[in-house]
Amino acid sequence: MPLWLQAGLWGLLSGSALIIGAGVGYFSKIPQRLIAGIMAFGSGVLISALSFDLMDEAYKGGGFDSTSIGFIGGALIYTIANIIISKRGGKHRKRSGGQQPSESEQEGSGTAIAVGALLDGIPESIVIGVSMIKGGTVSMVAVIAIFLSNVPEGLSSAAGMKKAKRSVKYVFLLWTAIAVISGISSLCGYVIFDGFSKDVIAATTAIAAGAILAMLADTMIPEAFETAHNFAGLITVIGFLCAFILTKLP
């Protein structure tokens, strides 16, 4: 199987967790505190993955300059895009409570939520494809971490969409489309950046890491803390430890 196709399939696999989470969140009555706890766990997993896998690989490939510029650049790009999307109704796209506006409350909010969800997922997927450029094998730590974090993302967001009276068709078409785009993004990450210099690949990895960290601080962690309160930190640490262990397994 060609490597570009493998990259796409790994991205699709990690993105499919969004559909799994959405199914659980939409059709099951899960307590708010449990959703918040799962979100905290997913946040810890991603923080660990971007610290010990993404940033470490970026530093090894491009040093401090490429890594730092990419890291800040990724956070800046995400923040600007997130501000624009938030003003159009996508601010609470990952919230499981009643924060998400319905289409009648804010026209165009459905589109904003869809674009916001896409914005959250693309950096993660590109990293999977880029990780295959060196050695031709995927970073299993990245795939597992992104898969584990995508489940609570889809779960919490779908629960909030249901409370905002969005149809089941809207919810599952959205997450299915994002799962497919995740696969395409991973494929593009491999095809586009294969052959680029180590500095460019390092900066690209760092951009994704910066965007992911900014996303965590803006969307996932607030959802976790609002309901889980004092337990959010402990659960986040447990998620961090699980992903850290993955990076040290042979």
Side-chain angles (χ1 to χ4, degrees):
M1 184 183 298
L3 289 177
W4 61 266
L5 182 56
Q6 290 183 42
L9 291 175
W10 282 118
L12 181 62
L13 174 63
S14 65
S16 68
L18 292 166
I19 304 173
I20 296 171
V24 175
Y26 198 90
F27 293 113
S28 303
K29 292 184 178 179
I30 301 177
Q32 289 292 117
R33 296 198 76 178
L34 180 57
I35 293 176
I38 296 172
M39 188 68 83
F41 181 86
S43 298
V45 167
L46 274 183
I47 292 171
S48 180
L50 69 88
S51 299
F52 296 103
D53 192 45
L54 303 187
M55 288 296 285
D56 191 51
E57 283 300 313
Y59 171 72
K60 289 177 181 176
F64 278 120
D65 52 353
S66 296
T67 303
S68 300
I69 292 170
F71 193 58
I72 297 298
L76 182 61
I77 292 168
Y78 177 88
T79 300
I80 293 172
N82 190 51
I83 290 172
I84 295 171
I85 291 167
S86 295
K87 290 180 178 179
R88 286 164 171 73
K91 181 177 182 180
H92 299 298
R93 58 188 176 275
K94 281 191 171 66
R95 307 303 287 270
S96 59
Q99 300 96 335
Q100 288 189 28
S102 64
E103 197 66 26
S104 60
E105 292 172 331
Q106 185 169 355
E107 186 176 353
S109 59
T111 301
I113 288 171
V115 174
L118 190 61
L119 172 69
D120 297 338
I122 286 179
E124 302 170 354
S125 303
I126 290 176
V127 160
I128 292 175
V130 170
S131 74
M132 294 186 65
I133 294 174
K134 181 182 177 181
T137 56
V138 73
S139 169
M140 289 305 300
V141 173
V143 172
I144 294 171
I146 292 169
F147 186 94
L148 290 176
S149 65
N150 276 345
V151 172
E153 285 188 49
L155 191 157
S156 182
S157 185
M161 289 175 183
K162 183 178 180 180
K163 290 179 180 177
K165 296 182 171 57
R166 301 194 186 279
S167 69
V168 63
K169 180 180 179 181
Y170 169 88
V171 172
F172 286 96
L173 279 178
L174 169 63
W175 292 116
T176 300
I178 292 175
V180 172
I181 293 172
S182 294
I184 295 172
S185 298
S186 183
L187 184 154
C188 290
Y190 176 80
V191 172
I192 293 174
F193 293 98
D194 187 26
F196 275 78
S197 68
K198 289 183 178 180
D199 284 338
V200 172
I201 294 174
T204 302
T205 304
I207 285 171
I212 292 170
L213 185 56
M215 179 272 290
L216 287 170
D218 286 346
T219 60
M220 290 183 69
I221 292 175
E223 164 68 8
F225 180 76
E226 183 171 317
T227 307
H229 299 305
N230 295 333
F231 291 100
L234 174 62
I235 298 170
T236 302
V237 168
I238 293 172
F240 183 99
L241 179 61
C242 289
F244 175 74
I245 291 172
L246 285 175
T247 65
K248 302 304 176 184
L249 292 177

